[in-house]
PDB file of all heavy atoms in Angstrom:
ATOM      1  N   GLY Q  87    -150.563 -78.894  54.547  1.00 86.00           N
ATOM      2  CA  GLY Q  87    -151.318 -80.011  54.015  1.00 86.00           C
ATOM      3  C   GLY Q  87    -151.144 -80.137  52.519  1.00 86.00           C
ATOM      4  O   GLY Q  87    -150.269 -79.491  51.943  1.00 86.00           O
ATOM      5  N   PRO Q  88    -151.989 -80.935  51.921  1.00 94.00           N
ATOM      6  CA  PRO Q  88    -153.063 -81.730  52.526  1.00 94.00           C
ATOM      7  C   PRO Q  88    -152.532 -82.803  53.496  1.00 94.00           C
ATOM      8  O   PRO Q  88    -151.438 -83.324  53.303  1.00 94.00           O
ATOM      9  CB  PRO Q  88    -153.749 -82.384  51.336  1.00 94.00           C
ATOM     10  CG  PRO Q  88    -153.351 -81.563  50.146  1.00 94.00           C
ATOM     11  CD  PRO Q  88    -151.987 -81.069  50.451  1.00 94.00           C
ATOM     12  N   ILE Q  89    -153.329 -83.087  54.515  1.00 94.00           N
ATOM     13  CA  ILE Q  89    -152.975 -84.078  55.526  1.00 94.00           C
ATOM     14  C   ILE Q  89    -153.739 -85.378  55.267  1.00 94.00           C
ATOM     15  O   ILE Q  89    -154.945 -85.362  55.024  1.00 94.00           O
ATOM     16  CB  ILE Q  89    -153.324 -83.577  56.945  1.00 94.00           C
ATOM     17  CG1 ILE Q  89    -152.589 -82.267  57.263  1.00 94.00           C
ATOM     18  CG2 ILE Q  89    -153.017 -84.649  57.986  1.00 94.00           C
ATOM     19  CD1 ILE Q  89    -151.107 -82.408  57.437  1.00 94.00           C
ATOM     20  N   HIS Q  90    -153.024 -86.473  55.298  1.00 96.00           N
ATOM     21  CA  HIS Q  90    -153.644 -87.801  55.262  1.00 96.00           C
ATOM     22  C   HIS Q  90    -152.909 -88.649  56.294  1.00 96.00           C
ATOM     23  O   HIS Q  90    -151.700 -88.866  56.188  1.00 96.00           O
ATOM     24  CB  HIS Q  90    -153.526 -88.432  53.880  1.00 96.00           C
ATOM     25  CG  HIS Q  90    -154.132 -89.794  53.785  1.00 96.00           C
ATOM     26  ND1 HIS Q  90    -153.820 -90.690  52.777  1.00 96.00           N
ATOM     27  CD2 HIS Q  90    -155.042 -90.451  54.582  1.00 96.00           C
ATOM     28  CE1 HIS Q  90    -154.509 -91.802  52.945  1.00 96.00           C
ATOM     29  NE2 HIS Q  90    -155.252 -91.688  54.037  1.00 96.00           N
ATOM     30  N   ALA Q  91    -153.630 -89.075  57.328  1.00 96.00           N
ATOM     31  CA  ALA Q  91    -153.007 -89.834  58.414  1.00 96.00           C
ATOM     32  C   ALA Q  91    -153.889 -90.995  58.824  1.00 96.00           C
ATOM     33  O   ALA Q  91    -155.118 -90.924  58.758  1.00 96.00           O
ATOM     34  CB  ALA Q  91    -152.737 -88.928  59.615  1.00 96.00           C
ATOM     35  N   ILE Q  92    -153.238 -92.063  59.245  1.00 98.00           N
ATOM     36  CA  ILE Q  92    -153.894 -93.243  59.815  1.00 98.00           C
ATOM     37  C   ILE Q  92    -153.421 -93.342  61.256  1.00 98.00           C
ATOM     38  O   ILE Q  92    -152.226 -93.188  61.533  1.00 98.00           O
ATOM     39  CB  ILE Q  92    -153.489 -94.541  59.080  1.00 98.00           C
ATOM     40  CG1 ILE Q  92    -153.610 -94.365  57.572  1.00 98.00           C
ATOM     41  CG2 ILE Q  92    -154.323 -95.718  59.566  1.00 98.00           C
ATOM     42  CD1 ILE Q  92    -154.992 -94.142  57.082  1.00 98.00           C
ATOM     43  N   GLY Q  93    -154.335 -93.584  62.190  1.00 98.00           N
ATOM     44  CA  GLY Q  93    -153.909 -93.623  63.578  1.00 98.00           C
ATOM     45  C   GLY Q  93    -154.650 -94.638  64.411  1.00 98.00           C
ATOM     46  O   GLY Q  93    -155.694 -95.177  64.009  1.00 98.00           O
ATOM     47  N   ALA Q  94    -154.095 -94.883  65.589  1.00 98.00           N
ATOM     48  CA  ALA Q  94    -154.714 -95.770  66.572  1.00 98.00           C
ATOM     49  C   ALA Q  94    -154.506 -95.170  67.949  1.00 98.00           C
ATOM     50  O   ALA Q  94    -153.404 -94.713  68.275  1.00 98.00           O
ATOM     51  CB  ALA Q  94    -154.101 -97.167  66.516  1.00 98.00           C
ATOM     52  N   GLY Q  95    -155.568 -95.142  68.732  1.00 97.00           N
ATOM     53  CA  GLY Q  95    -155.423 -94.804  70.143  1.00 97.00           C
ATOM     54  C   GLY Q  95    -154.847 -96.003  70.871  1.00 97.00           C
ATOM     55  O   GLY Q  95    -155.277 -97.139  70.640  1.00 97.00           O
ATOM     56  N   LEU Q  96    -153.866 -95.758  71.724  1.00 96.00           N
ATOM     57  CA  LEU Q  96    -153.202 -96.850  72.442  1.00 96.00           C
ATOM     58  C   LEU Q  96    -153.749 -96.961  73.860  1.00 96.00           C
ATOM     59  O   LEU Q  96    -153.786 -95.983  74.607  1.00 96.00           O
ATOM     60  CB  LEU Q  96    -151.691 -96.612  72.497  1.00 96.00           C
ATOM     61  CG  LEU Q  96    -150.947 -96.565  71.158  1.00 96.00           C
ATOM     62  CD1 LEU Q  96    -149.472 -96.281  71.392  1.00 96.00           C
ATOM     63  CD2 LEU Q  96    -151.125 -97.874  70.400  1.00 96.00           C
ATOM     64  N   GLN Q  97    -154.164 -98.159  74.225  1.00 94.00           N
ATOM     65  CA  GLN Q  97    -154.568 -98.430  75.594  1.00 94.00           C
ATOM     66  C   GLN Q  97    -153.330 -98.472  76.500  1.00 94.00           C
ATOM     67  O   GLN Q  97    -152.201 -98.621  76.021  1.00 94.00           O
ATOM     68  CB  GLN Q  97    -155.321 -99.753  75.658  1.00 94.00           C
ATOM     69  CG  GLN Q  97    -156.598 -99.788  74.833  1.00 94.00           C
ATOM     70  CD  GLN Q  97    -157.754 -99.036  75.477  1.00 94.00           C
ATOM     71  OE1 GLN Q  97    -157.569 -97.989  76.087  1.00 94.00           O
ATOM     72  NE2 GLN Q  97    -158.955 -99.566  75.338  1.00 94.00           N
ATOM     73  N   PRO Q  98    -153.516 -98.319  77.813  1.00 91.00           N
ATOM     74  CA  PRO Q  98    -152.367 -98.240  78.724  1.00 91.00           C
ATOM     75  C   PRO Q  98    -151.370 -99.380  78.589  1.00 91.00           C
ATOM     76  O   PRO Q  98    -150.155 -99.158  78.605  1.00 91.00           O
ATOM     77  CB  PRO Q  98    -153.022 -98.230  80.107  1.00 91.00           C
ATOM     78  CG  PRO Q  98    -154.353 -97.592  79.877  1.00 91.00           C
ATOM     79  CD  PRO Q  98    -154.788 -98.084  78.531  1.00 91.00           C
ATOM     80  N   ALA Q  99    -151.858-100.605  78.436  1.00 85.00           N
ATOM     81  CA  ALA Q  99    -150.944-101.746  78.346  1.00 85.00           C
ATOM     82  C   ALA Q  99    -150.087-101.671  77.088  1.00 85.00           C
ATOM     83  O   ALA Q  99    -148.895-102.006  77.108  1.00 85.00           O
ATOM     84  CB  ALA Q  99    -151.731-103.052  78.365  1.00 85.00           C
ATOM     85  N   ALA Q 100    -150.674-101.227  75.986  1.00 87.00           N
ATOM     86  CA  ALA Q 100    -149.921-101.121  74.740  1.00 87.00           C
ATOM     87  C   ALA Q 100    -148.859-100.041  74.838  1.00 87.00           C
ATOM     88  O   ALA Q 100    -147.746-100.192  74.332  1.00 87.00           O
ATOM     89  CB  ALA Q 100    -150.864-100.819  73.581  1.00 87.00           C
ATOM     90  N   TRP Q 101    -149.194 -98.945  75.497  1.00 86.00           N
ATOM     91  CA  TRP Q 101    -148.231 -97.859  75.617  1.00 86.00           C
ATOM     92  C   TRP Q 101    -146.976 -98.309  76.343  1.00 86.00           C
ATOM     93  O   TRP Q 101    -145.855 -98.072  75.886  1.00 86.00           O
ATOM     94  CB  TRP Q 101    -148.857 -96.674  76.330  1.00 86.00           C
ATOM     95  CG  TRP Q 101    -147.826 -95.642  76.663  1.00 86.00           C
ATOM     96  CD1 TRP Q 101    -147.250 -95.415  77.880  1.00 86.00           C
ATOM     97  CD2 TRP Q 101    -147.186 -94.752  75.755  1.00 86.00           C
ATOM     98  NE1 TRP Q 101    -146.310 -94.424  77.780  1.00 86.00           N
ATOM     99  CE2 TRP Q 101    -146.247 -94.004  76.490  1.00 86.00           C
ATOM    100  CE3 TRP Q 101    -147.313 -94.513  74.388  1.00 86.00           C
ATOM    101  CZ2 TRP Q 101    -145.447 -93.021  75.904  1.00 86.00           C
ATOM    102  CZ3 TRP Q 101    -146.530 -93.539  73.802  1.00 86.00           C
ATOM    103  CH2 TRP Q 101    -145.603 -92.809  74.554  1.00 86.00           C
ATOM    104  N   VAL Q 102    -147.143 -98.954  77.485  1.00 83.00           N
ATOM    105  CA  VAL Q 102    -145.977 -99.394  78.257  1.00 83.00           C
ATOM    106  C   VAL Q 102    -145.179-100.429  77.470  1.00 83.00           C
ATOM    107  O   VAL Q 102    -143.944-100.433  77.488  1.00 83.00           O
ATOM    108  CB  VAL Q 102    -146.411 -99.936  79.634  1.00 83.00           C
ATOM    109  CG1 VAL Q 102    -145.235-100.537  80.383  1.00 83.00           C
ATOM    110  CG2 VAL Q 102    -147.024 -98.811  80.459  1.00 83.00           C
ATOM    111  N   ALA Q 103    -145.853-101.299  76.742  1.00 85.00           N
ATOM    112  CA  ALA Q 103    -145.156-102.289  75.922  1.00 85.00           C
ATOM    113  C   ALA Q 103    -144.368-101.619  74.802  1.00 85.00           C
ATOM    114  O   ALA Q 103    -143.247-102.017  74.486  1.00 85.00           O
ATOM    115  CB  ALA Q 103    -146.168-103.277  75.341  1.00 85.00           C
ATOM    116  N   PHE Q 104    -144.950-100.589  74.191  1.00 84.00           N
ATOM    117  CA  PHE Q 104    -144.265 -99.846  73.135  1.00 84.00           C
ATOM    118  C   PHE Q 104    -142.975 -99.213  73.657  1.00 84.00           C
ATOM    119  O   PHE Q 104    -141.914 -99.343  73.055  1.00 84.00           O
ATOM    120  CB  PHE Q 104    -145.182 -98.725  72.624  1.00 84.00           C
ATOM    121  CG  PHE Q 104    -145.838 -99.023  71.309  1.00 84.00           C
ATOM    122  CD1 PHE Q 104    -146.389-100.266  71.049  1.00 84.00           C
ATOM    123  CD2 PHE Q 104    -145.946 -98.049  70.348  1.00 84.00           C
ATOM    124  CE1 PHE Q 104    -147.010-100.525  69.851  1.00 84.00           C
ATOM    125  CE2 PHE Q 104    -146.562 -98.295  69.145  1.00 84.00           C
ATOM    126  CZ  PHE Q 104    -147.104 -99.543  68.891  1.00 84.00           C
ATOM    127  N   MET Q 105    -143.091 -98.508  74.777  1.00 85.00           N
ATOM    128  CA  MET Q 105    -142.005 -97.646  75.224  1.00 85.00           C
ATOM    129  C   MET Q 105    -141.104 -98.287  76.274  1.00 85.00           C
ATOM    130  O   MET Q 105    -140.031 -97.763  76.581  1.00 85.00           O
ATOM    131  CB  MET Q 105    -142.576 -96.337  75.775  1.00 85.00           C
ATOM    132  CG  MET Q 105    -143.470 -95.615  74.780  1.00 85.00           C
ATOM    133  SD  MET Q 105    -142.673 -95.325  73.179  1.00 85.00           S
ATOM    134  CE  MET Q 105    -141.392 -94.184  73.656  1.00 85.00           C
ATOM    135  N   GLY Q 106    -141.551 -99.413  76.861  1.00 79.00           N
ATOM    136  CA  GLY Q 106    -140.716-100.118  77.825  1.00 79.00           C
ATOM    137  C   GLY Q 106    -140.483 -99.372  79.113  1.00 79.00           C
ATOM    138  O   GLY Q 106    -139.476 -99.565  79.793  1.00 79.00           O
ATOM    139  N   GLY Q 107    -141.394 -98.490  79.470  1.00 76.00           N
ATOM    140  CA  GLY Q 107    -141.228 -97.727  80.711  1.00 76.00           C
ATOM    141  C   GLY Q 107    -142.495 -96.984  81.060  1.00 76.00           C
ATOM    142  O   GLY Q 107    -143.526 -97.100  80.381  1.00 76.00           O
ATOM    143  N   ASP Q 108    -142.430 -96.218  82.125  1.00 85.00           N
ATOM    144  CA  ASP Q 108    -143.610 -95.521  82.623  1.00 85.00           C
ATOM    145  C   ASP Q 108    -144.122 -94.494  81.621  1.00 85.00           C
ATOM    146  O   ASP Q 108    -143.345 -93.746  81.008  1.00 85.00           O
ATOM    147  CB  ASP Q 108    -143.280 -94.805  83.933  1.00 85.00           C
ATOM    148  CG  ASP Q 108    -143.033 -95.785  85.075  1.00 85.00           C
ATOM    149  OD1 ASP Q 108    -143.172 -96.995  84.843  1.00 85.00           O
ATOM    150  OD2 ASP Q 108    -142.710 -95.329  86.183  1.00 85.00           O
ATOM    151  N   ALA Q 109    -145.456 -94.417  81.501  1.00 90.00           N
ATOM    152  CA  ALA Q 109    -146.068 -93.438  80.607  1.00 90.00           C
ATOM    153  C   ALA Q 109    -145.764 -92.014  81.055  1.00 90.00           C
ATOM    154  O   ALA Q 109    -145.716 -91.095  80.240  1.00 90.00           O
ATOM    155  CB  ALA Q 109    -147.577 -93.668  80.552  1.00 90.00           C
ATOM    156  N   GLU Q 110    -145.552 -91.811  82.357  1.00 93.00           N
ATOM    157  CA  GLU Q 110    -145.301 -90.464  82.875  1.00 93.00           C
ATOM    158  C   GLU Q 110    -144.090 -89.810  82.207  1.00 93.00           C
ATOM    159  O   GLU Q 110    -144.043 -88.594  82.037  1.00 93.00           O
ATOM    160  CB  GLU Q 110    -145.094 -90.522  84.386  1.00 93.00           C
ATOM    161  CG  GLU Q 110    -144.931 -89.163  85.040  1.00 93.00           C
ATOM    162  CD  GLU Q 110    -144.651 -89.247  86.523  1.00 93.00           C
ATOM    163  OE1 GLU Q 110    -144.149 -90.300  86.975  1.00 93.00           O
ATOM    164  OE2 GLU Q 110    -144.932 -88.273  87.237  1.00 93.00           O
ATOM    165  N   ARG Q 111    -143.107 -90.616  81.812  1.00 92.00           N
ATOM    166  CA  ARG Q 111    -141.895 -90.073  81.186  1.00 92.00           C
ATOM    167  C   ARG Q 111    -142.186 -89.421  79.851  1.00 92.00           C
ATOM    168  O   ARG Q 111    -141.401 -88.582  79.384  1.00 92.00           O
ATOM    169  CB  ARG Q 111    -140.868 -91.191  80.966  1.00 92.00           C
ATOM    170  CG  ARG Q 111    -140.274 -91.791  82.216  1.00 92.00           C
ATOM    171  CD  ARG Q 111    -139.354 -92.940  81.854  1.00 92.00           C
ATOM    172  NE  ARG Q 111    -138.389 -92.566  80.832  1.00 92.00           N
ATOM    173  CZ  ARG Q 111    -137.796 -93.440  80.020  1.00 92.00           C
ATOM    174  NH1 ARG Q 111    -138.100 -94.727  80.084  1.00 92.00           N
ATOM    175  NH2 ARG Q 111    -136.913 -93.029  79.118  1.00 92.00           N
ATOM    176  N   TRP Q 112    -143.286 -89.792  79.196  1.00 93.00           N
ATOM    177  CA  TRP Q 112    -143.548 -89.344  77.842  1.00 93.00           C
ATOM    178  C   TRP Q 112    -144.823 -88.517  77.734  1.00 93.00           C
ATOM    179  O   TRP Q 112    -145.347 -88.329  76.640  1.00 93.00           O
ATOM    180  CB  TRP Q 112    -143.624 -90.547  76.911  1.00 93.00           C
ATOM    181  CG  TRP Q 112    -142.364 -91.353  76.902  1.00 93.00           C
ATOM    182  CD1 TRP Q 112    -142.130 -92.525  77.553  1.00 93.00           C
ATOM    183  CD2 TRP Q 112    -141.147 -91.023  76.237  1.00 93.00           C
ATOM    184  NE1 TRP Q 112    -140.852 -92.959  77.328  1.00 93.00           N
ATOM    185  CE2 TRP Q 112    -140.215 -92.052  76.522  1.00 93.00           C
ATOM    186  CE3 TRP Q 112    -140.743 -89.965  75.413  1.00 93.00           C
ATOM    187  CZ2 TRP Q 112    -138.921 -92.047  76.022  1.00 93.00           C
ATOM    188  CZ3 TRP Q 112    -139.459 -89.957  74.913  1.00 93.00           C
ATOM    189  CH2 TRP Q 112    -138.560 -90.990  75.215  1.00 93.00           C
ATOM    190  N   VAL Q 113    -145.322 -88.010  78.862  1.00 96.00           N
ATOM    191  CA  VAL Q 113    -146.488 -87.136  78.804  1.00 96.00           C
ATOM    192  C   VAL Q 113    -146.129 -85.876  78.012  1.00 96.00           C
ATOM    193  O   VAL Q 113    -145.058 -85.290  78.183  1.00 96.00           O
ATOM    194  CB  VAL Q 113    -146.951 -86.752  80.229  1.00 96.00           C
ATOM    195  CG1 VAL Q 113    -147.988 -85.636  80.186  1.00 96.00           C
ATOM    196  CG2 VAL Q 113    -147.517 -87.963  80.949  1.00 96.00           C
ATOM    197  N   ASP Q 114    -147.022 -85.493  77.105  1.00 97.00           N
ATOM    198  CA  ASP Q 114    -146.846 -84.275  76.310  1.00 97.00           C
ATOM    199  C   ASP Q 114    -145.583 -84.307  75.458  1.00 97.00           C
ATOM    200  O   ASP Q 114    -144.853 -83.316  75.354  1.00 97.00           O
ATOM    201  CB  ASP Q 114    -146.835 -83.029  77.212  1.00 97.00           C
ATOM    202  CG  ASP Q 114    -148.168 -82.771  77.889  1.00 97.00           C
ATOM    203  OD1 ASP Q 114    -149.192 -83.231  77.364  1.00 97.00           O
ATOM    204  OD2 ASP Q 114    -148.178 -82.112  78.939  1.00 97.00           O
ATOM    205  N   ARG Q 115    -145.337 -85.426  74.828  1.00 96.00           N
ATOM    206  CA  ARG Q 115    -144.215 -85.530  73.893  1.00 96.00           C
ATOM    207  C   ARG Q 115    -144.623 -86.367  72.682  1.00 96.00           C
ATOM    208  O   ARG Q 115    -145.476 -87.262  72.788  1.00 96.00           O
ATOM    209  CB  ARG Q 115    -142.979 -86.184  74.549  1.00 96.00           C
ATOM    210  CG  ARG Q 115    -142.383 -85.414  75.696  1.00 96.00           C
ATOM    211  CD  ARG Q 115    -142.032 -83.974  75.331  1.00 96.00           C
ATOM    212  NE  ARG Q 115    -141.134 -83.835  74.205  1.00 96.00           N
ATOM    213  CZ  ARG Q 115    -139.813 -83.699  74.302  1.00 96.00           C
ATOM    214  NH1 ARG Q 115    -139.228 -83.725  75.497  1.00 96.00           N
ATOM    215  NH2 ARG Q 115    -139.069 -83.522  73.225  1.00 96.00           N
ATOM    216  N   ALA Q 116    -144.008 -86.081  71.548  1.00 97.00           N
ATOM    217  CA  ALA Q 116    -144.155 -86.899  70.341  1.00 97.00           C
ATOM    218  C   ALA Q 116    -142.790 -87.474  69.996  1.00 97.00           C
ATOM    219  O   ALA Q 116    -141.773 -86.767  70.075  1.00 97.00           O
ATOM    220  CB  ALA Q 116    -144.691 -86.066  69.186  1.00 97.00           C
ATOM    221  N   ILE Q 117    -142.755 -88.751  69.652  1.00 95.00           N
ATOM    222  CA  ILE Q 117    -141.490 -89.458  69.424  1.00 95.00           C
ATOM    223  C   ILE Q 117    -141.491 -90.040  68.018  1.00 95.00           C
ATOM    224  O   ILE Q 117    -142.490 -90.624  67.570  1.00 95.00           O
ATOM    225  CB  ILE Q 117    -141.307 -90.597  70.456  1.00 95.00           C
ATOM    226  CG1 ILE Q 117    -141.449 -90.084  71.884  1.00 95.00           C
ATOM    227  CG2 ILE Q 117    -139.969 -91.294  70.272  1.00 95.00           C
ATOM    228  CD1 ILE Q 117    -142.779 -90.418  72.514  1.00 95.00           C
ATOM    229  N   ASP Q 118    -140.387 -89.892  67.331  1.00 97.00           N
ATOM    230  CA  ASP Q 118    -140.197 -90.546  66.034  1.00 97.00           C
ATOM    231  C   ASP Q 118    -140.154 -92.053  66.275  1.00 97.00           C
ATOM    232  O   ASP Q 118    -139.301 -92.550  67.015  1.00 97.00           O
ATOM    233  CB  ASP Q 118    -138.886 -90.065  65.413  1.00 97.00           C
ATOM    234  CG  ASP Q 118    -138.665 -90.579  63.991  1.00 97.00           C
ATOM    235  OD1 ASP Q 118    -139.301 -91.579  63.610  1.00 97.00           O
ATOM    236  OD2 ASP Q 118    -137.844 -89.979  63.279  1.00 97.00           O
ATOM    237  N   ALA Q 119    -141.079 -92.791  65.679  1.00 97.00           N
ATOM    238  CA  ALA Q 119    -141.164 -94.232  65.914  1.00 97.00           C
ATOM    239  C   ALA Q 119    -139.908 -94.972  65.483  1.00 97.00           C
ATOM    240  O   ALA Q 119    -139.657 -96.087  65.940  1.00 97.00           O
ATOM    241  CB  ALA Q 119    -142.386 -94.811  65.205  1.00 97.00           C
ATOM    242  N   ARG Q 120    -139.105 -94.362  64.629  1.00 97.00           N
ATOM    243  CA  ARG Q 120    -137.847 -94.989  64.224  1.00 97.00           C
ATOM    244  C   ARG Q 120    -136.876 -95.113  65.403  1.00 97.00           C
ATOM    245  O   ARG Q 120    -136.016 -96.001  65.407  1.00 97.00           O
ATOM    246  CB  ARG Q 120    -137.206 -94.210  63.081  1.00 97.00           C
ATOM    247  CG  ARG Q 120    -137.909 -94.399  61.740  1.00 97.00           C
ATOM    248  CD  ARG Q 120    -137.386 -93.468  60.676  1.00 97.00           C
ATOM    249  NE  ARG Q 120    -137.811 -92.085  60.926  1.00 97.00           N
ATOM    250  CZ  ARG Q 120    -137.689 -91.096  60.039  1.00 97.00           C
ATOM    251  NH1 ARG Q 120    -137.161 -91.346  58.847  1.00 97.00           N
ATOM    252  NH2 ARG Q 120    -138.098 -89.883  60.325  1.00 97.00           N
TER     253      ARG Q 120
END
């Protein structure tokens, strides 16, 4: 740290729109948004 972060919880519809596929594929993973 120090840590400073801004975040949003994503609802199910937003998640699928973000990733273009099933949420199951990305359970327990972090992805570089780039």
